[in-house]
């Protein structure tokens, strides 16, 4: 069943002329299932965010290492 099916069941119970407390409770369950299904459906249709590029700072790290090595070399020569 999908979210629309669950919602239809909840509405079917509540749109009667007379509604018992048990039917209200059952409609609440159907409504909660509809909400959960809608969230799941939205999550499945929404594209995932791109994974963080682990190498995106590689150039900066290489520059930092080179600068540090140059600094340490200059200190040793002092």
């Amino acid at each position: 069943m999908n979210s629309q099916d669950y919602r239809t069941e909840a509405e079917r119970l509540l749109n009667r002329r007379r509604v018992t407390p048990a039917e209200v409770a059952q409609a609440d369950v159907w409504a909660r299932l509809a909400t959960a299904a809608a969230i799941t459906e939205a999550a499945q249709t929404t594209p995932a965010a791109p994974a963080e590029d682990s190498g995106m700072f590689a150039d900066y790290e290489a520059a930092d290492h080179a600068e540090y090595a140059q600094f340490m070399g200059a200190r040793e020569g002092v």
Side-chain angles (χ1 to χ4, degrees):
M1 291 180 80
N2 61 26
S3 61
Q4 185 59 44
D5 295 336
Y6 290 124
R7 180 181 174 166
T8 301
E9 287 297 320
E11 289 174 348
R12 182 184 60 78
L13 287 169
L14 294 176
N15 287 333
R16 296 180 179 180
R17 195 168 187 90
R18 292 186 182 197
V19 180
T20 66
E23 290 170 331
V24 171
Q26 183 61 45
D28 179 55
V29 172
W30 286 116
R32 290 172 190 258
L33 288 169
T35 302
I39 292 169
T40 301
E41 291 164 7
Q44 291 172 346
T45 58
T46 304
E52 184 177 340
D53 183 7
S54 60
M56 66 188 240
F57 296 112
D59 292 337
Y60 296 113
E61 290 174 6
D64 284 343
H65 287 294
E67 185 178 349
Y68 180 74
Q70 185 180 13
F71 173 75
M72 291 306 290
R75 286 193 67 193
E76 289 175 2
V78 172

